[in-house]
Amino acid sequence: MKFFIDTANLADIREAQDMGILDGVTTNPSLMAKEGITGKDNIIAHYKQICEIVEGDVSAEVISTTFDEIIREGEELAELNENIVVKVPMIKDGVKAIKYFTEKGIRTNCTLIFSAGQALLAAKAGATYVSPFVGRLDDISTDGMALIEQIVTIFTNYGYTTEVLAASVRHPMHIIQCAEMGADVMTAPLSVIKALLNHPLTDSGLAKFLADHQKAGVPAK
Ligand code: E4P
């Protein structure tokens, strides 16, 4: 399973890249705003900086909601770097734009997926990725992980090459369940990715190893 980081924070992206486990980045307008990145020139410069840090795919989301505007904005974003994936919302004009981009060889990530039917439409239009939002479904008492399982089954049934990118991942168990269900990618904040490192037996085991080593008379480094 590919690990993407869900942020526009350059320090977090660098830290995940330095860990050696990063396969890509997802951003959205809220994440860009959180970092104070506003105005077209700053947004473009920021995407370029992200692409310099990471070797994998970088999802850059369009703000437009009409076909012509989505195309204009998406083509401009795709020009920035070969790793840019144009993130398009799950609306009718978005589906039409995904079809257009697919025919032009521009890769897409269909975002704001909350049902299997939406994922199926995006796959039929040729989306490179679909992004079902697990955490936001959980927030309204609906099983987000069940949607991941359903989409994986449907795409497998028909051999769709569209990758299932589990988004809105909120805690480490979401990541484990994504892996069990066969999601192709998951995207999460750095804190959630780093939470996978933790186990109390690792901490106590390491403390004991180091203490025993010191007792044996060899100074610990
Ligand atoms: C990713 O592509 C989405 O924009 C993101 O995962 C949404 O996460 P949130 O529900 O935590 O905002």
Side-chain angles (χ1 to χ4, degrees):
M1 184 169 72
K2 285 186 273 187
F3 273 41
F4 288 0
I5 188 167
D6 197 25
T7 187
N9 182 284
L10 298 180
D12 282 2
I13 295 169
R14 278 196 197 95
E15 187 174 338
Q17 175 69 19
D18 284 349
M19 277 175 76
I21 49 81
L22 192 62
D23 299 301
V25 178
T26 52
T27 62
N28 64 38
S30 304
L31 293 171
M32 294 291 275
K34 191 175 162 195
E35 299 307 318
I37 315 297
T38 54
K40 190 179 165 186
D41 290 349
N42 291 333
I43 289 172
I44 295 225
H46 201 74
Y47 283 137
K48 284 185 179 168
Q49 274 185 286
I50 293 175
C51 290
E52 276 167 25
I53 300 170
V54 184
E55 278 171 32
D57 288 349
V58 174
S59 283
E61 187 161 340
V62 298
I63 312 298
S64 313
T65 54
T66 59
F67 177 75
D68 289 342
E69 284 298 295
I70 294 172
I71 297 308
R72 187 195 53 71
E73 201 186 337
E75 284 180 336
E76 219 171 318
L77 289 170
E79 282 279 299
L80 297 178
N81 189 289
E82 62 180 6
N83 286 340
I84 291 279
V85 175
V86 179
K87 205 170 176 191
V88 180
M90 170 33 76
I91 54 176
K92 196 166 107 181
D93 280 29
V95 173
K96 192 174 158 190
I98 287 168
K99 179 75 178 170
Y100 172 92
F101 286 136
T102 304
E103 283 166 1
K104 293 270 172 188
I106 293 174
R107 294 177 310 130
T108 54
N109 173 358
C110 188
T111 189
L112 292 164
I113 297 278
F114 292 97
S115 76
Q118 291 177 326
L120 192 50
L121 277 178
K124 284 188 72 67
T128 313
Y129 299 102
V130 287
S131 288
F133 280 31
V134 175
R136 291 195 197 184
L137 280 171
D138 288 355
D139 288 345
I140 57 157
S141 307
T142 302
D143 188 350
M145 290 313 309
L147 177 61
I148 300 295
E149 191 166 32
Q150 202 180 9
I151 297 171
V152 168
T153 301
I154 291 169
F155 286 6
T156 305
N157 285 348
Y158 294 99
Y160 284 115
T161 54
T162 300
E163 294 188 43
V164 180
L165 193 173
S168 189
V169 163
R170 301 272 169 80
H171 51 74
M173 278 314 293
H174 274 155
I175 300 181
I176 302 304
Q177 289 168 327
C178 282
E180 284 174 339
M181 288 171 181
D184 300 286
V185 193
M186 76 81 211
T187 189
L190 181 63
S191 58
V192 176
I193 295 173
K194 281 165 70 178
L196 290 174
L197 290 166
N198 302 334
H199 198 289
L201 290 179
T202 304
D203 297 341
S204 58
L206 181 60
K208 173 109 176 52
F209 284 156
L210 297 181
D212 288 347
H213 178 73
Q214 237 173 351
K215 263 190 264 164
V218 185
K221 280 187 184 173

